[in-house]
Amino acid sequence: RKEVEQDPGPFNVPEGATVAFNCTYSNSASQSFFWYRQDCRKEPKLLMSVYSSGNEDGRFTAQLNRASQYISLLIRDSKLSDSATYLCVVNTNTGFQKLVFGTGTRLLVSP
Amino acid sequence: GAGVSQSPSNKVTEKGKDVELRCDPISGHTALYWYRQSLGQGLEFLIYFQGNSAPDKSGLPSDRFSAERTGGSVSTLTIQRTQQEDSAVYLCASSLGPGLMDTQYFGPGTRLTVL
């Protein structure tokens, strides 16, 4: 079983749609959680950290359920520029950020 | 300011040759990480540097892989006797410190192809 599992997609949605991605992780001792965005043939970039209480950044909302070991990302009012691969990322270490990446969920937003 | 830079951006080599990949982290960042991304796979942790020391090199796939960091800045990842399965994008990241919420900033990667 992979440490971080995501639906690879692709999710095809029209502009303006709301889309949700889910992710599960296997290590219950995981310390911190993130969503990264990766455009085609580019480096990953941090989209947002995920906090236990849930957090929002503009059109993006992230939630964490430690009991179920489940992380989600909700994107509202999708834009064409949101088309990318979204990586669920978990830090399994206490001493430093030893990041474990999911393989990503691909989102395609069409006009 | 300048981000993380890596060189070369692309490297094609023959099986059995040695290669060196370079990473220049963001100035002042003490933590540096190497990852590998193979086709269809998630990013895979290779090694972590804090300053010039590597407290965790558990992700290096074999003893053909080694890395060093000098002056608390530039890092070099060396792969000896390359194999076809080493073909991947090698990504370097740096963060201000090793804190659990310190953002890791990634470089553009080196795409390695072993023929």
Side-chain angles (χ1 to χ4, degrees):
Chain A
R1 181 187 173 190
K2 292 181 182 176
E3 286 194 75
V4 178
E5 297 210 52
Q6 297 181 249
D7 181 342
F11 284 57
N12 289 283
V13 302
E15 269 187 294
T18 295
V19 61
F21 305 139
N22 304 318
C23 161
T24 57
Y25 61 94
S26 60
N27 188 336
S28 59
S30 296
Q31 299 291 315
S32 46
F33 309 87
F34 310 90
W35 284 100
Y36 274 71
R37 169 191 169 132
Q38 186 171 28
D39 292 290
C40 189
R41 299 178 78 88
K42 298 285 190 182
E43 71 272 22
K45 292 184 179 177
L46 179 67
L47 178 66
M48 58 196 302
S49 303
V50 187
Y51 301 108
S52 297
S53 54
N55 49 298
E56 188 174 305
D57 183 1
R59 298 181 293 107
F60 299 84
T61 300
Q63 295 203 312
L64 168 65
N65 184 322
R66 282 188 183 268
S68 302
Q69 296 178 204
Y70 172 97
I71 307 163
S72 66
L73 176 69
L74 182 77
I75 305 175
R76 290 181 298 278
D77 188 23
S78 298
K79 311 292 185 190
L80 295 176
S81 57
D82 293 335
S83 297
T85 296
Y86 291 83
L87 306 174
C88 178
V89 185
V90 171
N91 173 31
T92 60
N93 198 46
T94 56
F96 68 95
Q97 278 196 27
K98 190 169 185 176
L99 299 183
V100 179
F101 285 75
T103 52
T105 297
R106 191 166 174 215
L107 172 65
L108 299 171
V109 182
S110 54
Chain B
V4 178
S5 61
Q6 292 187 244
S7 60
S9 54
N10 281 283
K11 176 73 177 178
V12 180
T13 191
E14 293 179 348
K15 179 181 171 181
K17 301 281 190 184
D18 297 352
V19 295
E20 280 191 358
L21 313 179
R22 177 186 168 110
C23 171
D24 282 87
I26 293 171
S27 178
H29 281 196
T30 64
L32 186 147
Y33 311 80
W34 282 97
Y35 295 87
R36 176 169 76 171
Q37 187 170 29
S38 304
L39 194 62
Q41 304 295 313
L43 274 79
E44 173 190 12
F45 168 84
L46 298 179
I47 187 169
Y48 155 64
F49 286 93
Q50 180 57 38
N52 293 335
S53 301
D56 191 326
K57 51 181 77 173
S58 61
L60 294 177
S62 75
D63 59 8
R64 296 186 296 105
F65 288 71
S66 63
E68 66 174 11
R69 189 178 184 195
T70 56
S73 181
V74 172
S75 176
T76 303
L77 177 69
T78 301
I79 309 173
Q80 296 179 308
R81 304 181 303 282
T82 52
Q83 303 294 312
Q84 288 183 332
E85 61 264 27
D86 299 335
S87 295
V89 178
Y90 290 82
L91 290 152
C92 173
S94 70
S95 61
L96 191 60
L100 298 185
M101 299 307 290
D102 282 349
T103 301
Q104 290 191 24
Y105 296 90
F106 283 80
T110 294
R111 184 172 298 273
L112 175 66
T113 303
V114 182
L115 301 177

